Amino acid sequence: GGESGGETFFRDDDDDDSDDDEENIVCSLAQFRPEKNHALQLEAWALVPENVKRRATLVVAGATRHAGDEALLRDLKAKADGSVRFLVNGTRDDVVALLRKAKIGLHTMRFEHFGIAVVEMMAANTVPVAHASAGPLLDIVGTKRDRGFVCDTAREYADAINLLLTDDNRRRQMAATARAFVVDRFSDAAFATAFVDRFLKQTLLDNRLLLFDDDGE
């Protein structure tokens, strides 16, 4: 699940001002828990070509709950190089600002049921590079490579990051497609429409059952 307080961050298609920044931001958004698999992010980041990483920063954002999470965070920081920054227990505004700047969003948890953080990234024109399992694979990103990438190995993640940071036209096209998808599928209006549709169908079915006797007459 996401770690951003349940708010989805939509912005206009032409509100992509990330090219105004000197550096390219790649972000991740997840609590610092073992199952979120941040180590895979760092492993992948280490495989991105140095000439590309020189113009980029990986921002690992998330919250800690207790001493165990803090220990994990210390271990991650020890493994990270100078091109990695950590945003720990940031405010909602911090997260919004990060998503609005980021060009790429990493997700590395295996078998996550849904993955609301991936939806939030896509809504903010941030192209997702997500794990090829469960919700992100089946319901959100898919395998067509039109609204993001799904990956399994560090090399696959690194190749996707490299492509998106070196082909800005492809990245912008994917960002627009991703945002349009989540607006259509996951916005409040879409949820409301889907709920009403299901409610009406069930109501009509219930009424039909009440109108007919056991012989269907």
Side-chain angles (χ1 to χ4, degrees), residues 32-140:
F32 291 104
R33 303 185 343 231
E35 64 269 26
K36 296 299 184 179
N37 205 14
H38 289 90
L40 180 58
Q41 298 174 18
L42 297 182
E43 185 181 351
W45 188 246
L47 295 175
V48 176
E50 286 299 325
N51 65 313
V52 175
K53 277 184 14 180
R54 263 197 301 273
R55 305 189 307 273
T57 301
L58 171 61
V59 181
V60 183
T64 57
R65 302 162 299 168
H66 46 56
D69 291 351
E70 294 284 354
L72 173 62
L73 177 59
R74 285 194 298 273
D75 184 57
L76 292 170
K77 287 181 175 180
K79 294 177 179 177
D81 64 23
S83 62
V84 180
R85 300 205 314 261
F86 289 84
L87 173 61
V88 183
N89 298 325
T91 66
R92 182 182 64 84
D93 289 343
D94 292 333
V95 174
V96 171
L98 174 61
L99 288 178
R100 287 180 176 275
K101 288 181 180 179
K103 293 183 176 181
I104 302 169
L106 301 184
H107 165 277
T108 47
M109 181 176 175
R110 292 179 173 88
F111 305 116
E112 183 155 33
H113 178 67
F114 182 64
I116 189 63
V118 179
V119 174
E120 290 168 345
M121 292 169 183
M122 295 165 72
N125 280 345
T126 302
V127 178
V129 180
H131 194 268
S133 62
L137 171 66
L138 299 175
D139 301 320
I140 305 174

Side-chain angles (χ1 to χ4, degrees), residues 2 5 14 18 31 37 41 50 71 89 117 124 147 152 157 163 176 189 194 203:
D14 59 358
S18 52
Q31 285 186 340
N37 205 14
Q41 298 174 18
E50 286 299 325
N89 298 325
R147 54 182 182 261
D152 184 48
Y157 275 93
L163 185 153
T203 300

Side-chain angles (χ1 to χ4, degrees), residues 170-183:
R170 175 82 179 273
R171 179 192 65 80
R172 285 178 174 271
Q173 184 177 46
M174 292 181 81
T177 302
R179 184 186 183 280
F181 174 79
V182 298
V183 168

Side-chain angles (χ1 to χ4, degrees), residues 190-215:
F191 275 125
T193 300
F195 174 80
V196 170
D197 185 54
R198 286 194 300 270
F199 176 79
L200 288 176
K201 285 181 179 178
Q202 187 60 48
T203 300
L204 290 172
L205 176 61
D206 291 344
N207 286 341
R208 180 182 180 279
L209 293 175
L210 291 172
L211 287 171
F212 295 99
D213 59 24
D214 292 339
D215 294 328

